[in-house]
């Protein structure tokens, strides 16, 4: 298990800088420059960590991604420990760790600095601790659960949904006594105290994350999934070759004292499907299912080396498929002719940013403010713009909208990605000055975005700012 986790971490580290920053990473850096107890679209932990890492080296992408690599590796280790908790020996632990390390979601999340990988790590640890508690371990483990949940909320508030589903599943499966301890009450208190600053900020600002969540559920995000895609992608999150293994694990858990886990999976599946959740929201459940399946499979394999070799070959193939699709393995020039961009939306969002910012700088009139359609373009300008003398950008997207409009004294504004019809309602003169082009023919959200110079605003920017707000 240790060797597998080490190899996994090494692969992520070797490939970490082959493409470039993801739009979300630059957005977290931008949020970190404006530290607060909360943001309209996320809690403060990940931006605060981005701020800390940028203080170490503001230009080193590999430094920014080190915590993501560590968190993803921790998920791999947790899978092995969950197999041990379920009664598995050395082979089962190695098999569980290898299965998770080979998974598309583990590799993709570990490659990018963001809330997803930390959420996956927190949920894996919670599952491991709950397995211990259901086995009858020291109830003081509840204190650790409370701490992880509280910190998890400071990373991504969505974690309360699987925690609630698992708690309900434990009650429905007749394991109520596990809650009958003072340590459970203490855990609730710990999680509430740790989550309180962010929840207070949200309440004080009208719960903007709820508004954003509804927009995402309505399909406004680039990674939003239709109901049918939500279902189909469950077979791809950890790789199609692993479906029999986690399906077997679900069956084994259902027939054991740990049946709360497959029941929680079912509850979350229905909830996210009906509520418009993204497919990866369910991803945190698969490590425990794979761990359970690995225990049963390792027992069946016994000492048969050829069978172990066959299983190892399947996992190696799954790992290779995942790496090609979700790690920057292929040269950038080969991406347009590959299936990578069709499968992995995020790959396209790590390419072209320096070139885009150079084009924006070339099109900008002297002294003009910059207004972008989305947070990705704004974050890229903050990251790469200083070398071109670009000012801090403005955007109506997500937290950038909260950070305010261009000054009312701005009579000339370069806009990025905003359609001309919308600009004619705002400015007396609208001049086209270019189109963003990554030069690679790679389709991403910025490729082909128009650049306009907006002169003589018809109304002060502070007055039109509410109508420029965009979510998702």
């Amino acid at each position: 298990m240790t060797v597998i986790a080490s190899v996994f971490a090494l692969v992520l580290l070797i490939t970490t800088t082959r493409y470039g920053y993801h739009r979300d990473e630059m957005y977290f850096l931008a949020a970190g420059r404006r530290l607060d107890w909360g943001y309209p679209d996320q809690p403060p932990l990940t931006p605060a960590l981005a701020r800390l890492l940028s203080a170490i080296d503001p230009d080193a992408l590999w430094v920014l991604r080190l915590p993501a690599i560590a968190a993803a590796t921790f998920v791999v280790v947790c899978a092995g420990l969950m197999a041990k908790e379920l009664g598995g020996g050395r082979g089962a632990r190695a098999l569980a760790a290898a299965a998770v390390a080979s998974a598309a979601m583990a590799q993709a999340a570990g490659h990018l600095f963001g809330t997803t990988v930390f959420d996956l790590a927190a949920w894996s640890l919670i599952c491991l601790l709950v397995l211990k508690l259901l086995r009858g371990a020291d109830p003081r483990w509840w204190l650790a659960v409370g701490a992880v949940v509280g910190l998890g909320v400071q990373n991504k508030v969505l974690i309360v949904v699987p925690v609630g589903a698992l708690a309900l599943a434990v009650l429905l499966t007749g394991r109520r006594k596990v809650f009958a301890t003072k340590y459970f009450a203490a855990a609730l208190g710990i999680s509430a105290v740790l989550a309180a600053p962010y929840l207070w900020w949200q309440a004080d600002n009208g719960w903007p994350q709820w508004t954003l969540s509804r927009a995402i559920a309505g399909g406004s995000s680039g990674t939003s999934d239709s109901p049918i895609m939500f279902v189909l992608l469950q077979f791809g999150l950890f790789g199609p070759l692993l479906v029999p293994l986690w399906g077997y694990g679900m069956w084994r858990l259902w027939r054991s004292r740990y049946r709360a886990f497959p029941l929680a999976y079912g509850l979350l599946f229905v909830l996210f499907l009906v509520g418009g959740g993204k497919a990866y929201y369910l991803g945190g459940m698969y490590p425990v299912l794979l761990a359970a399946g690995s225990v049963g499979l390792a027992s069946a394999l016994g000492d048969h080396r050829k069978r172990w070799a066959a299983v190892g070959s399947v996992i190696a193939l799954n790992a290779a498929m995942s790496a090609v699709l979700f790690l920057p393995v292929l040269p950038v020039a080969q991406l347009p002719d590959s299936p990578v961009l069709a499968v992995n939306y995020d790959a396209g969002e790590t390419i072209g940013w320096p070139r885009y910012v150079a084009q924006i700088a070339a099109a900008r009139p002297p002294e003009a403010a910059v207004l972008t359609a989305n947070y990705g373009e704004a974050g890229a300008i903050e990251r790469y713009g200083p070398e071109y003398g670009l000012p801090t950008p403005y955007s109506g997207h997500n937290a950038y909208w909260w950070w305010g409009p261009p000054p009312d004294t701005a009579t000339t504004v370069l806009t990025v990605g905003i359609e001309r019809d919308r600009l004619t309602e705002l400015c007396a003169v609208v001049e086209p000055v270019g189109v963003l082009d990554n030069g690679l023919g790679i389709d991403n959200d910025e490729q082909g975005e128009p650049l306009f110079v907006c002169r003589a605003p018809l109304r002060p920017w502070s007055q039109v700012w509410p109508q420029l707000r965009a979510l998702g």
Side-chain angles (χ1 to χ4, degrees):
M1 182 177 72
T2 302
V3 173
I4 292 168
S6 299
V7 171
F8 175 77
L10 182 61
V11 170
L12 290 181
L13 185 61
I14 290 172
T15 60
T16 191
T17 58
R18 277 183 53 81
Y19 292 170
Y21 286 88
H22 188 275
R23 61 161 60 219
D24 288 353
E25 293 173 318
M26 294 182 289
Y27 183 47
F28 291 129
L29 288 169
R33 299 185 191 102
R34 303 164 176 88
L35 286 179
D36 205 339
W37 288 109
Y39 302 87
D41 52 351
Q42 63 191 333
L45 184 59
T46 304
L49 184 56
R51 172 70 172 264
L52 175 62
L53 294 165
S54 66
I56 297 172
D57 190 334
D59 300 319
L61 178 56
W62 71 272
V63 171
L64 181 67
R65 289 179 174 172
L66 279 179
I69 294 172
T73 304
F74 180 74
V75 174
V76 172
V77 172
C78 277
L81 294 177
M82 284 189 275
K84 179 180 179 181
E85 195 65 35
L86 291 167
R90 182 178 178 182
R93 298 196 297 271
L95 185 58
V100 172
S102 77
M105 184 172 178
Q107 294 184 21
H111 174 62
L112 301 176
F113 176 84
T115 57
T116 298
V117 68
F118 303 127
D119 186 63
L120 187 60
W123 183 238
S124 295
L125 180 54
I126 290 170
C127 288
L128 174 61
L129 295 173
V130 172
L131 283 174
K132 290 179 176 292
L133 290 163
L134 291 176
R135 178 176 53 81
D138 191 329
R140 282 178 290 187
W141 282 114
W142 276 120
L143 303 179
V145 173
V148 176
V149 172
L151 290 174
V153 169
Q154 290 286 9
N155 169 69
K156 193 171 186 177
V157 73
L158 183 69
I159 197 171
V160 301
V161 178
V163 167
L166 183 56
L168 178 59
V170 171
L171 290 172
L172 292 176
T173 53
R175 302 299 302 275
R176 297 174 180 83
K177 289 184 178 180
V178 75
F179 298 116
T181 170
K182 62 182 180 181
Y183 296 110
F184 175 70
L188 293 177
I190 292 171
S191 60
V193 169
L194 290 174
Y198 171 66
L199 298 178
W200 182 276
W201 187 95
Q202 282 286 325
D204 194 46
N205 288 277
W207 301 101
Q209 184 145 18
W210 173 253
T211 303
L212 178 71
S213 298
R214 298 319 304 156
I216 292 175
S220 66
S221 172
T223 54
S224 295
D225 300 311
S226 65
I228 185 62
M229 285 306 299
F230 176 89
V231 175
L232 293 177
L233 286 173
Q234 299 310 315
F235 299 100
L237 286 177
F238 278 68
L241 298 181
L242 295 186
V243 172
L245 184 60
W246 62 255
Y248 176 46
M250 185 181 298
W251 178 80
R252 281 181 55 84
L253 287 170
W254 183 254
R255 293 170 56 86
S256 72
R257 56 181 163 180
Y258 305 109
R259 65 172 56 190
F261 285 94
L263 179 57
Y265 177 94
L267 292 172
L268 290 170
F269 185 95
V270 173
L271 180 61
F272 290 141
L273 178 64
V274 174
K278 299 182 182 182
Y280 77 85
Y281 288 175
L282 199 53
M285 291 300 304
Y286 291 106
V288 67
L289 301 182
L290 287 168
S294 296
V295 173
L297 180 57
S299 178
L301 293 176
D303 295 326
H304 298 280
R305 294 186 178 182
K306 290 184 178 180
R307 295 179 184 179
W308 276 100
V311 171
S313 298
V314 172
I315 291 179
L317 179 59
N318 193 69
M321 292 168 54
S322 298
V324 170
L325 293 173
F326 292 95
L327 292 179
V329 174
L330 295 179
V332 172
Q334 294 182 13
L335 288 181
D337 300 321
S338 75
V340 171
L341 297 177
V343 176
N344 181 10
Y345 166 88
D346 288 316
E349 297 305 316
T350 62
I351 292 166
W353 294 111
R355 179 181 172 91
Y356 289 144
V357 174
Q359 293 170 11
I360 292 168
R364 173 180 170 259
E367 308 304 322
V370 181
L371 176 64
T372 75
N374 67 61
Y375 68 75
E377 296 154 350
I381 292 169
E382 287 205 51
R383 169 61 184 84
Y384 296 108
E387 64 181 281
Y388 299 102
L390 289 176
T392 299
Y394 302 91
S395 179
H397 200 197
N398 290 4
Y400 270 99
W401 184 86
W402 283 71
W403 297 332
D408 289 341
T409 56
T411 58
T412 302
V413 175
L414 174 69
T415 67
V416 183
I418 303 176
E419 296 301 324
R420 183 168 193 155
D421 290 347
R422 198 171 190 188
L423 293 175
T424 55
E425 301 173 359
L426 304 176
C427 299
V429 178
V430 179
E431 303 172 1
V433 291
V435 175
L436 292 182
D437 177 15
N438 57 35
L440 299 166
I442 293 175
D443 185 20
N444 57 21
D445 284 354
E446 286 63 46
Q447 176 78 346
E449 290 280 40
L451 303 175
F452 292 101
V453 172
C454 180
R455 303 184 190 273
L458 299 175
R459 286 184 292 164
W461 291 104
S462 59
Q463 293 184 15
V464 302
W465 199 236
Q467 70 190 68
L468 288 176
R469 186 179 186 185
L471 298 172

